[in-house]
Amino acid sequence: MKITVLSGGVGGARFARGLRALVPTAGITVIANTGDDMWLHGVRVCPDLDTLMYTLGDAVHEEQGWGRRDESRRTSDDLAAYGLGWEWFTLGDLDLATHLARTELLRGGLPLSQVTARLAERWAPGVTLLPMTDDEVETHVLTADGRDLHFEEWWVRHRAALPAARFVQTNLATATPAPGVLAAIADADVVVVPPSNPVVSVGTILAIPGIRDALRTTAAPVVGISPVIGGAPVRGMADACLTAIGVETSALAVARHYGRRPDGVLDAWLVDDRDADAAHALESEGWAAGSANTLMTDVPTTARIAADALALVGALR
């Protein structure tokens, strides 16, 4: 079986880990959002790619869901002693080594997709990890009070508390899918949209020219898992992102935001048991929909959630 996953950071990484546990012999390709990427201290930081690598490589800091386990911060502390660095975005010493390696390889002329493959060799993630594009696409937030902030500053420093007027992805019009991305969608037996942020994670992947059309036309069924449970995001401040684009924070509204093929990108939608009414509503509209306990508390539970999602489209029998 060939499975393609469109992933953001923590939620997508944890789902991919559960999916890998469920079908260890499947060929899994994970297409990662790189709209959160940025240059920091002269190095290229790719938050979602790194979270996927560390999670699938058994090196992630489990409690926070991102960064390296057993991390230290001597370098960031010493930068602060010079009056440099950003106190709201600290790079750990081990994590910094990843960014330094990535930057050296990028400046040596390799595209991000090849750099990602090189870095992933160390972590043996058990999946093919692809950035959505080799181009530098960065998400900015235009706030209601007129500021233009990189998404990470709005998300981490301000905790998404500044009302967002809209999101803008730089260089989006000229970006192209990374090598292998469109083929991974076209050749898949099933495509999965995990419980990642539908606006700035999955939404940014879909905004890369060609990817949304590839999802609409692939012969593979496309199933998504709601990132909203009982009217609240499972993790983070995705509700602030949804509010900014005029979408209600509910399992039903997020499904309709993605849309059902052929006009949208999904065929099926799995919601939490607390949102079973949303599944019934979608079924009446022609969707394949179901409900289950979708809180990813550990790997076995997440594997069961993945099984429920695949079963919705007949991919797991």
Side-chain angles (χ1 to χ4, degrees), residues 194-241:
S196 293
N197 190 309
V199 181
V200 295
S201 294
V202 178
T204 303
I205 298 173
L206 295 177
I208 297 296
I211 292 183
R212 186 182 294 271
D213 286 342
L215 277 173
R216 286 174 172 162
T217 58
T218 181
V222 185
V223 57
I225 299 95
S226 175
V228 174
I229 295 178
V234 176
R235 183 181 177 89
M237 294 77 67
D239 50 340
C241 300

Side-chain angles (χ1 to χ4, degrees), residues 1-8 12 15-16 19-20 23 26-32 52 127-132 178-194 202 205-206 211 214-215 218-225 265-266 306 309-310 313 315:
M1 182 186 294
K2 291 184 289 186
I3 305 173
T4 297
V5 180
L6 274 58
S7 179
F15 178 84
L19 177 66
R20 185 187 62 185
V23 283
I28 301 173
T29 299
V30 180
I31 300 169
L52 283 156
V127 306
T128 298
L129 185 57
L130 299 176
M132 63 185 190
V181 166
L182 297 183
I185 296 171
D187 298 340
D189 294 306
V190 61
V191 178
V192 184
V193 177
V202 178
I205 298 173
L206 295 177
I211 292 183
L215 277 173
T218 181
V222 185
V223 57
I225 299 95
V265 297
L266 297 177
L310 296 181
V313 291

